[in-house]
């Protein structure tokens, strides 16, 4: 057995440092600040059974570092600064029984999935990670979260993601949030990106607990799945920019509208929206933080614009693109490209009222002209009857 204390360098060369100990069975390096192992542990250490490299400053270990330690049974790499480790394969370490990996610098990504297989394995011949519960994510994402539960969430996400045709989506575990109170349950925060995939409808399947859905730049025209699809129950944010949505009336009174957090509908075909329904939903919605409605062909008439303007003013703190919500082109419309928020409502409605008055005036003139024509015709027929006894032609045609 050999113990090395207070190693003076920040690296360790096993070949040079251990050449005098070919029959070594147990090696411990302690109270040192070693960052790197140079090369591989040499073949002459074929009797080494226990290697303790814990509580150093190791930042990385190469795949081949231990490949000649064919008798190694215990490997302790705990409490270093390791963020990644390739699986110690039975090819290189056929007798390995225990490995210790506690630490809080691990990059929790899919290249650590081999830990899940070990954790679930019941094969007595498989080596065991002895301190799973003291491995913590850090340095990349999910800082402070336990490694195994996070890897399990990543594995489930990889299986459930609609990455195959026709959706070709990309799924990301953005964060992991601990449950409230004494609960140790980890809640995933998932984003599914299906933007610019030429989709004509929303994806039918999403990973469970999907939080955000990005579907910009597609050909989507219906929002039925927000109401009927069970995979959308936990969805809070949806980005539907530059699609073909012409109406959101289907969302009126829906659970989703009164619980959503972000709704982005920029660049669609909306000419109007049920403002009363949106107002009613947002008064009950404690999650809503952002709303995008710009670059739509809004119809600025007196029937819709005033109520919509009131809605925009009331929720202007939530609407992120207020200046881009403008009137679309209408013939002889002086408000083309005017932000609806700034519309002079009195003038808008007065013009509409004037148009209506002009219509009734024209109709009255027409009716008055017809009455005059009828009276003149009656006078003419009366004179012809008195003077010549001739009845109007229409009377001679009656049976």
């Amino acid at each position: 057995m050999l113990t090395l204390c207070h190693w003076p360098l920040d690296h360790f060369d096993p070949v040079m440092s251990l050449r005098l100990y070919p029959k070594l069975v147990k090696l411990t390096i302690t109270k040192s600040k070693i960052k790197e192992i140079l090369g591989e542990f040499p073949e002459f250490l074929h009797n080494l059974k226990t290697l303790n490299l814990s509580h150093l400053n190791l930042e990385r270990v190469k795949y081949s570092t231990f490949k000649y330690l064919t008798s190694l049974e215990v490997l302790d790499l705990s409490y270093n600064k390791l963020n990644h480790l390739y699986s110690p394969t039975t090819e290189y370490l056929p007798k390995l029984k225990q490995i210790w990996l506690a630490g809080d610098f691990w990059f929790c990504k899919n290249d650590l999935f081999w830990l899940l297989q070990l954790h679930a394995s019941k094969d007595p011949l498989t080596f065991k990670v002895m301190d799973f519960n003291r491995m913590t994510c850090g340095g990349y994402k999910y800082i402070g979260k336990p490694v195994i539960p996070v890897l399990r969430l990543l594995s489930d996400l990889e299986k459930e993601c609609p990455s195959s045709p026709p959706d070709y989506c990309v799924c990301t575990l953005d964060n992991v949030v601990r449950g409230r109170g004494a609960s140790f349950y980890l809640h995933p925060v998932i984003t599914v990106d299906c933007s610019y995939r030429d989709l004509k409808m929303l994806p039918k399947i999403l990973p469970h607990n999907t939080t955000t859905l990005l579907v910009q730049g597609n050909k989507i025209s219906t929002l039925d799945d927000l109401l009927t699809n069970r995979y959308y129950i936990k969805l809070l944010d949806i980005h539907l920019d530059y699609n073909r949505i012409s109406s959101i009336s289907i969302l009126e009174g829906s659970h989703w509208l009164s619980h959503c957090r972000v709704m982005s509908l920029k660049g669609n075909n909306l000419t109007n929206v049920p403002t009363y329904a949106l107002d009613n939903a947002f008064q009950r919605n404690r999650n809503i933080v952002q709303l995008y409605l710009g670059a739509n062909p809004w119809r600025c008439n007196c029937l819709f614009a005033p109520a919509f303007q009131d809605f925009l003013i009331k929720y202007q703190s939530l609407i992120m693109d207020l200046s881009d919500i403008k009137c679309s082109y209408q013939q002889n419309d002086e408000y083309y490209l005017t932000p609806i928020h700034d519309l002079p409502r009195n003038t808008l409605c007065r013009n509409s009222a004037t148009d209506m008055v002009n219509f009734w005036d024209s109709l009255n003139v027409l009716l008055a002209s017809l009455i005059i024509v009828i009276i003149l015709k009656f006078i003419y027929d009366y004179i012809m009857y008195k003077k010549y006894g001739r009845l109007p032609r229409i009377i001679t045609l009656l049976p």
Side-chain angles (χ1 to χ4, degrees):
M1 185 177 80
L2 175 66
T3 299
L4 301 176
C5 299
H6 303 289
W7 190 258
L9 304 176
D10 65 354
H11 60 273
F12 181 76
D13 185 342
V15 175
M16 296 299 296
S17 304
L18 302 174
R19 64 183 183 279
L20 300 178
Y21 309 98
K23 296 182 179 181
L24 193 63
V25 175
K26 181 177 181 180
L27 171 64
T28 300
I29 303 177
T30 184
K31 298 180 181 179
S32 304
K33 301 295 181 181
I34 298 173
K35 293 183 178 179
E36 184 180 6
I37 304 293
L38 300 180
E40 295 89 21
F41 282 84
E43 290 185 77
F44 61 73
L45 294 178
H46 57 83
N47 291 322
L48 189 66
K49 293 186 176 182
T50 301
L51 177 59
N52 187 345
L53 301 174
S54 65
H55 293 87
L56 304 177
N57 268 355
L58 287 176
E59 296 177 350
R60 66 190 184 96
V61 175
K62 295 178 182 178
Y63 185 68
S64 59
T65 299
F66 311 111
K67 70 178 183 178
Y68 297 123
L69 303 181
T70 54
S71 296
L72 193 67
E73 296 179 356
V74 178
L75 175 61
D76 192 344
L77 295 169
S78 61
Y79 298 108
N80 282 283
K81 293 184 178 179
L82 296 173
N83 53 50
H84 171 75
L85 184 69
Y86 289 105
S87 172
T89 62
T90 53
E91 176 187 356
Y92 285 165
L93 303 174
K95 296 184 179 180
L96 188 65
K97 298 177 181 178
Q98 298 179 7
I99 186 170
W100 300 76
L101 296 173
D104 53 8
F105 290 91
W106 294 105
F107 284 1
C108 293
K109 301 190 293 183
N110 57 3
D111 48 13
L112 286 179
F113 281 173
W114 60 270
L115 289 172
L116 289 179
Q117 297 173 358
L118 288 182
H119 187 65
S121 175
K122 296 182 179 180
D123 186 350
L125 299 179
T126 303
F127 69 89
K128 303 294 182 183
V129 179
M130 307 303 294
D131 50 1
F132 274 121
N133 59 342
R134 294 196 295 276
M135 294 180 67
T136 306
C137 302
Y140 172 66
K141 276 187 177 182
Y142 330 119
I143 297 174
K145 307 303 188 303
V147 168
I148 295 302
V150 170
L151 291 179
R152 192 174 292 117
L153 290 174
L154 285 169
S155 178
D156 291 343
L157 179 61
E158 189 175 278
K159 296 172 184 175
E160 296 172 358
C161 184
S163 56
S164 56
D167 300 314
Y168 299 103
C169 301
V170 176
C171 302
T172 307
L173 183 64
D174 296 322
N175 199 1
V176 176
V177 182
R178 292 187 184 276
R180 296 180 179 178
S183 172
F184 292 99
Y185 178 74
L186 296 180
H187 298 273
V189 179
I190 296 171
T191 293
V192 178
D193 188 353
C194 309
S195 300
Y196 303 100
R197 303 296 201 276
D198 202 34
L199 302 181
K200 295 182 180 179
M201 59 182 65
L202 292 171
K204 293 300 179 185
I205 297 177
L206 295 177
H208 288 84
N209 299 307
T210 296
T211 308
T212 301
L213 177 61
L214 309 177
V215 283
Q216 300 100 316
N218 287 294
K219 299 176 182 178
I220 297 167
S221 59
T222 178
L223 303 177
D224 292 15
D225 285 289
L226 289 178
L227 280 68
T228 60
N229 194 326
R230 64 186 179 89
Y231 291 101
Y232 286 72
I233 291 176
K234 298 291 183 68
L235 188 69
L236 292 174
D237 308 341
I238 188 165
H239 295 258
L240 286 153
D241 308 337
Y242 306 105
N243 277 280
R244 298 179 179 179
I245 297 166
S246 58
S247 173
I248 61 171
S249 297
I250 192 174
L251 299 179
E252 184 176 342
S254 67
H255 174 273
W256 187 86
L257 195 59
S258 58
H259 289 80
C260 67
R261 185 173 58 189
V262 175
M263 181 169 66
S264 187
L265 292 162
K266 295 186 295 185
N268 278 277
N269 299 328
L270 295 172
T271 59
N272 61 77
V273 290
T275 52
Y276 62 91
L278 293 177
D279 185 26
N280 184 51
F282 291 165
Q283 286 185 43
R284 295 179 285 113
N285 189 336
R286 296 186 178 182
N287 297 325
I288 187 74
V289 292
Q290 290 183 359
L291 182 63
Y292 296 85
L293 296 170
N296 278 285
W298 299 108
R299 186 171 297 165
C300 291
N301 55 39
C302 193
L303 295 177
F304 169 68
F308 190 41
Q309 187 181 62
D310 289 341
F311 173 82
L312 297 180
I313 293 172
K314 182 175 181 178
Y315 294 101
Q316 58 184 324
S317 61
L318 304 178
I319 300 171
M320 301 292 104
D321 56 350
L322 196 62
S323 60
D324 291 330
I325 304 175
K326 301 177 180 180
C327 299
S328 63
Y329 175 75
Q330 301 291 329
Q331 189 172 6
N332 300 322
D333 186 359
E334 61 180 299
Y335 300 118
Y336 174 50
L337 294 183
T338 300
I340 296 177
H341 181 271
D342 300 328
L343 280 178
R345 186 188 307 183
N346 293 337
T347 304
L348 174 70
C349 290
R350 186 170 65 246
N351 290 343
S352 298
T354 301
D355 292 341
M356 188 61 69
V357 169
N358 290 337
F359 168 76
W360 287 113
D361 286 345
S362 300
L363 183 60
N364 288 334
V365 170
L366 177 61
L367 291 175
S369 300
L370 290 175
I371 291 171
I372 292 172
V373 169
I374 292 171
I375 292 173
L376 291 175
K377 181 65 168 69
F378 176 76
I379 295 172
Y380 172 77
D381 290 339
Y382 178 76
I383 294 173
M384 295 301 291
Y385 175 72
K386 282 300 223 177
K387 191 171 183 180
Y388 302 106
R390 186 190 308 167
L391 293 173
R393 181 173 178 78
I394 190 172
I395 293 177
T396 61
L397 296 176
L398 294 175

